Structures are given as structure tokens and as C-alpha cells.
């Protein structure tokens, strides 16, 4: 997921370089062992947020669910572009079953495509559009990270690695 404004970063952090590759490439590569197809949501990727822009991560998740459902997939594994490294075993645990999410970084989750209509309704009616709130509403299984999750918010965060 690469649809954020990158306001703290100062430029498009999905395109920021880390160890010779962009942050979005690192995130994609983390997913590849667990998915049939990896695509970028938001920015210049083929998937737009639903039902429109500026809805935060839930808009990106909704866009991904719609895109995947239209192509016959039953679930979507999501990761933010600013997570270039994850603790060992976390994605494998999330990939075992949907719905599941990481409470330490809720955009990191596994979601059923059949839940798209419920998510769109949640976005339309919920006064607080949080991924944690959505996860609780659908009974998603929380899977804690076995170690801290690296999150890039500023250029200094990359330089410190």
C-alpha cells in the first residue's frame, strides 16, 4: 500500500531508496512468497482507493479487496510500503487465514475479498476510519509481531538503518 501523503517524509516515500531498492519494492518482495500476485495500491499503481481518495489505509484495503475479488481471488494480504523489513514468521502467520491483522501495525493484514461491501459500509458510516476498528468489527484475529516492526516515516529513519 503506497497511497499515503508522505507528509513527514517530505517526498513520495514509496519511491525512497533503501539498500538499493525502493521501499515499495522491499514491501512487494516480502509478500511474494505468500501471494499469487503482488500489486501496488494507491499512487501510480493500478489500484485506486475506494470509494475515493484520502480515506487512509481503509480506502486502500477496499481498493485491493475490490480489485482482487474482480479477479477471482478470495483474500488479500496487505503491507504498507514503509515496512521494508518484518520480523521472521509474521507474514507466514498472517497468511494462514483471513481475516487477521497485526495490532502492532494494523495495515499489515489478511482480508477476505467477500468483505468488500461491509468495508465500504464501514467507511461510509464509521466516524473513525481506523484499521483496528474495522478489524474488530469483522472479528479479525490479532497476530502480534514477535519483534518490533521497522516503520519508515522520515528520511532520517532510513539513514539510521
Amino acid at each position: 500500500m503506497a497511497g499515503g501523503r508522505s507528509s513527514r517524509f517530505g517526498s513520495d516515500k514509496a519511491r525512497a531508496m533503501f539498500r538499493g531498492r525502493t521501499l515499495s519494492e522491499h514491501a512487494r518482495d516480502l509478500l511474494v512468497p505468500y501471494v499469487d500476485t503482488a500489486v501496488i495500491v494507491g499512487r501510480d499503481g493500478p489500484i485506486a482507493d475506494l470509494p475515493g481518495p484520502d480515506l487512509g489505509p481503509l480506502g486502500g484495503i477496499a481498493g485491493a479487496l475490490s480489485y482482487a475479488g474482480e479477479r477471482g481471488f478470495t483474500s488479500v494480504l496487505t503491507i504498507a510500503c514503509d515496512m521494508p523489513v518484518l520480523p521472521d514468521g509474521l507474514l507466514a502467520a498472517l497468511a494462514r487465514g483471513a481475516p487477521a491483522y497485526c495490532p502492532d501495525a494494523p495495515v499489515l493484514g489478511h482480508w477476505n475479498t467477500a468483505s468488500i461491501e461491509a468495508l465500504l459500509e464501514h467507511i461510509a458510516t464509521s466516524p473513525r476510519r481506523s484499521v483496528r476498528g474495522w478489524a474488530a468489527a469483522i472479528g479479525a484475529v490479532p497476530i502480534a509481531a514477535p519483534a518490533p516492526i521497522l516503520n519508515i516515516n522520515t528520511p532520517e529513519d532510513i539513514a539510521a538503518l
Side-chain angles (χ1 to χ4, degrees):
M1 298 190 46
R5 292 187 184 124
S6 301
S7 55
R8 289 178 284 178
F9 199 82
S11 63
D12 185 353
K13 70 178 160 181
R15 293 183 180 160
M17 298 302 290
F18 173 65
R19 298 180 183 163
R21 294 180 301 150
T22 65
L23 289 177
S24 61
E25 288 171 327
H26 282 280
R28 181 201 60 223
D29 291 348
L30 288 169
L31 291 179
V32 166
Y34 305 100
V35 299
D36 293 326
T37 303
V39 294
I40 295 175
V41 177
R43 296 280 189 230
D44 299 327
I47 304 172
D49 290 1
L50 288 179
D54 298 322
L55 295 170
L58 286 180
I61 292 170
L65 292 178
S66 176
Y67 181 91
E70 290 168 0
R71 286 155 181 77
F73 293 99
T74 58
S75 67
V76 170
L77 193 61
T78 57
I79 186 173
C81 69
D82 57 7
M83 298 177 190
V85 180
L86 291 176
D88 288 341
L90 181 54
L91 277 176
L94 288 166
R96 285 188 194 106
Y101 76 108
C102 179
D104 306 302
V107 74
L108 188 56
H110 190 185
W111 317 99
N112 294 309
T113 56
S115 66
I116 181 60
E117 293 304 322
L119 177 53
L120 291 173
E121 178 68 19
H122 180 82
I123 289 170
T125 61
S126 177
R128 194 166 164 255
R129 295 187 190 109
S130 76
V131 177
R132 281 185 185 91
W134 165 245
I138 61 170
V141 175
I143 298 178
I149 295 175
L150 178 67
N151 183 263
I152 305 292
N153 288 309
T154 66
E156 293 77 22
D157 291 342
I158 291 177
L161 299 177

